[in-house]
Amino acid sequence: MDRPQSSPEPPHLAADGAGNEKSTTTAASPSPPLSAAAAGKVTQIVQACRNDDLDTLIALAASSNGLVDDELRRTAWPILLGSRDDPLDAKISWTSLPPHRDEDQVKLDVNRSFVYYPNNESDKQLERRKQELSDVITEVLRRYPALCYFQGYHDIVQVILLVLGSGQAPSAVVRLSFLRIRDFMLPSLDAAISHLHLLPAILDTVDPILRRHLSQTQPFFALAATLTLYAHDIQEYGDIARLFDFFLAREAVIPVYFFTVIVLARKDELLEIPPDEPEMLHSILSKLPKPLDLELLIANTITLFDNHPPESLPYRAWRRISSHSVLKTTRNPSDVARQTIQDGETFLSKQDAEMQRTKAIQTVVRGIKRQIWLYRRPAGALSLTVAIGVVAWWMGRSGRMNIRNAGAGSLSESIRRVMAFFD
C-alpha cells in the first residue's frame, strides 16, 4: 500500500468556550490515488470504526501500513484509547485550576518541541503549535494532579496533538496517561526501569549468545526510546504516526519487544565490539539505527511476542512486574478502551503505595545489613533473614509507607528484639 504521509498543515481554528482559539483538526494534505489494496483497507478501517469493532481495528492498526493516514487516525485513535465517549469535564475551565507542580519543566520542554515536524511552517505557526501543546499538557496535569510529568511526555503528546488536533487531544492524552503510560507518570521512574529488565530476559530466550555478549551492559540504553514511545528518536512524522498505530493498538509491553527486535537486528554490529566495553555498547544501543524498516520491525515484533509472551520469560521476569503496572493491565489490549479513568487512578494509587512500601523495606534492610556488617558473627545471615521477615510482616500489617517513618516506633523495637536474640 503506497499512501505517503505528509507533515500536517496548520489546523483549522475555532473558538472555545472561553473565546480562545483552538485547533479542531489537522487538515492533512491531499493524498495521491490509492491502490486497490489500499482502498480495500481504508474501507475496512471505516467499517470497523463505524461498527465500534475494536478487535478488527486493533488487527488493522497492527497490520502493514497501519491506519493509512491521519484522516482515519482521527476517528480510530479515540476508539482505540476509549476517549471518544469520555470527554473531559468542560464545566470547569482548566485555566481556573491550581497550577501543577511540574509546569516549569513543561515550559522548558515545550520550547524544544516540533523540531523535526511539521515541515515548512512559519515561526508564527510553530509558536501557535507550541502554545497548543503547552495548553494540552497543562490542562491534563491540572485536572489530574496525581500524574507526574516526565521529560519526554511532550514528545508523546506532540504526536497525539498533530493527529487529533487540540479539540480531541486532551481527553485522548488523559486516557493514554492513565491507561497506557501510567508507569511513567509515577513520582519516580522505578516502574519505567522495571520494564527494561524484561529486555535481557527476552534476549536470553531467543539469542543467548547475544545476551551474554551484552551481559555487562545494563538495559538503560532503551529508556529514552521506550519512555517516549520512540517519539523522541524518530524524526519522520509519517513513521512515528505509523508506529503509534501499532503501539496504541497493542499491549503496553510491545515497545520493549520492539526494542529487542532492533537489538537482534544489530547482532553482527554488536558482536564486533568487545563485551568488556559496556560504555561503547551502551552508546551504540542508545541510538536507533537509520533508516528503520518499520514494517519489518513491526512484523518481527509481533512474531517475537507471539512466540515468547511475557509470561514465558525466564528469571521470573514477568512475575516481578507489579500487578498494577500498565504492562499487566493492558495484557488484553481490547480491555483498555473499556477501562475508566477511575480505574487508572486506582491503579496509579496502588502502584505508588506498593513502590513506597518497597522503598521503605529496602531502606530498613540496608540499615540492618550495615549493622550486621559492623557486628559480624556467624549468626549474622540467619539474623538478617529473620529481621527482613519482621520488616516485611510489619510493613504489610501496618500499611506504613512513609520512608521517613520506616525505622521508627514498633518496627525499630521489633528489629532490636530480633537482633538481641542472637547476642
Side-chain angles (χ1 to χ4, degrees):
M1 186 162 48
D2 49 0
R3 194 175 189 179
Q5 294 286 345
S6 57
S7 296
E9 293 180 352
H12 297 308
L13 297 177
D16 63 13
N20 300 314
E21 286 187 334
K22 295 184 69 177
S23 67
T24 55
T25 67
T26 55
S29 300
S31 298
L34 295 174
S35 66
K41 186 172 188 182
V42 167
T43 300
Q44 289 180 293
I45 294 170
V46 170
Q47 193 67 31
C49 290
R50 183 176 297 143
N51 296 336
D52 282 332
D53 187 347
L54 191 58
D55 291 337
T56 297
L57 193 59
I58 288 171
L60 291 168
S63 65
S64 180
N65 290 291
L67 295 172
V68 184
D69 61 26
D70 283 0
E71 183 178 354
L72 293 168
R73 291 185 179 106
R74 280 193 286 277
T75 301
W77 281 12
I79 295 174
L80 292 173
L81 288 167
S83 62
R84 187 176 61 173
D85 300 318
D86 196 8
L88 299 183
D89 184 4
K91 296 178 181 178
I92 302 176
S93 171
W94 66 268
T95 57
S96 66
L97 298 173
H100 190 275
R101 58 191 173 277
D102 297 329
E103 287 185 25
D104 287 342
Q105 186 61 52
V106 171
K107 292 177 183 178
L108 292 174
D109 287 350
V110 166
N111 286 335
R112 296 191 290 265
S113 61
F114 301 108
V115 174
Y116 301 118
Y117 47 78
N119 301 317
N120 304 318
E121 290 198 345
S122 67
D123 290 342
K124 183 177 180 180
Q125 289 170 326
L126 289 175
E127 285 304 313
R128 177 182 293 169
R129 288 195 182 277
K130 290 180 180 181
Q131 186 59 57
E132 289 179 344
L133 179 61
S134 177
D135 288 349
V136 171
I137 295 175
T138 305
E139 176 175 4
V140 170
L141 294 178
R142 287 191 183 185
R143 291 190 186 278
Y144 298 93
L147 294 172
C148 297
Y149 178 83
F150 64 91
Q151 286 186 272
Y153 183 70
H154 72 291
D155 291 310
I156 297 174
V157 177
Q158 174 180 305
V159 179
I160 301 294
L161 177 62
L162 287 173
V163 171
L164 299 184
S166 61
Q168 290 191 88
S171 58
V173 170
V174 168
R175 290 190 61 84
L176 179 80
S177 301
F178 273 112
L179 303 175
R180 283 199 163 272
I181 60 170
R182 179 179 62 251
D183 291 11
F184 308 155
M185 309 204 72
L186 289 157
S188 79
L189 287 179
D190 290 353
I193 291 172
S194 73
H195 294 200
L196 305 182
H197 292 301
L198 294 176
L199 198 156
I202 303 170
L203 272 180
D204 194 71
T205 300
V206 296
D207 197 327
I209 293 176
L210 183 56
R211 165 68 180 100
R212 285 194 296 272
H213 187 76
L214 300 177
S215 61
Q216 297 184 51
T217 307
Q218 293 297 315
F220 301 137
F221 50 74
L223 182 60
T226 55
L227 189 68
T228 64
L229 303 183
Y230 298 79
H232 182 72
D233 298 274
I234 292 180
Q235 300 178 10
E236 296 296 328
Y237 175 72
D239 287 346
I240 192 59
R242 163 66 186 109
L243 196 55
F244 268 44
D245 291 342
F246 181 43
F247 289 159
L248 296 182
R250 294 297 301 259
E251 298 86 343
V253 74
I254 282 292
V256 178
Y257 277 79
F258 186 82
F259 202 100
T260 307
V261 167
I262 293 175
V263 173
L264 290 167
R266 308 178 77 178
K267 178 178 178 177
D268 292 343
E269 175 189 5
L270 295 169
L271 290 179
E272 291 179 356
I273 302 169
D276 58 356
E277 294 187 14
E279 295 84 2
M280 179 65 72
L281 287 166
H282 177 94
S283 177
I284 291 175
L285 287 165
S286 62
K287 298 178 179 65
L288 296 185
K290 297 177 183 179
L292 289 175
D293 187 342
L294 281 185
E295 296 305 331
L296 179 61
L297 290 171
I298 288 171
N300 289 345
T301 298
I302 294 171
T303 299
L304 178 62
F305 182 84
D306 290 344
N307 291 341
H308 304 283
E311 294 85 358
S312 70
L313 298 178
Y315 315 122
R316 298 169 57 89
W318 187 244
R319 290 189 181 184
R320 297 178 189 277
I321 300 296
S322 168
S323 61
H324 309 301
S325 166
V326 290
L327 297 191
K328 291 189 173 177
T329 60
T330 63
R331 188 58 184 87
N332 184 348
S334 61
D335 287 346
V336 179
R338 302 183 184 99
Q339 291 170 349
T340 66
I341 298 301
Q342 290 71 32
D343 291 333
E345 290 177 309
T346 299
F347 291 138
L348 183 83
S349 176
K350 288 183 176 180
Q351 191 170 5
D352 185 26
E354 183 178 79
M355 290 172 59
Q356 292 294 336
R357 279 197 301 272
T358 299
K359 286 184 177 180
I361 292 173
Q362 290 172 344
T363 298
V364 175
V365 168
R366 281 195 295 268
I368 294 171
K369 287 182 177 179
R370 183 174 181 276
Q371 291 300 315
I372 290 176
W373 175 254
L374 293 174
Y375 302 100
R376 295 183 294 278
R377 300 177 187 178
L382 177 60
S383 63
L384 175 62
T385 301
V386 175
I388 290 174
V390 170
V391 172
W393 168 82
W394 186 86
M395 293 296 292
R397 184 196 68 171
S398 67
R400 185 171 296 187
M401 294 169 285
N402 191 324
I403 296 176
R404 290 174 298 180
N405 296 333
S410 58
L411 176 59
S412 294
E413 182 61 28
S414 297
I415 294 174
R416 280 197 294 272
R417 289 179 181 177
V418 172
M419 301 300 289
F421 178 80
F422 296 96
D423 289 337

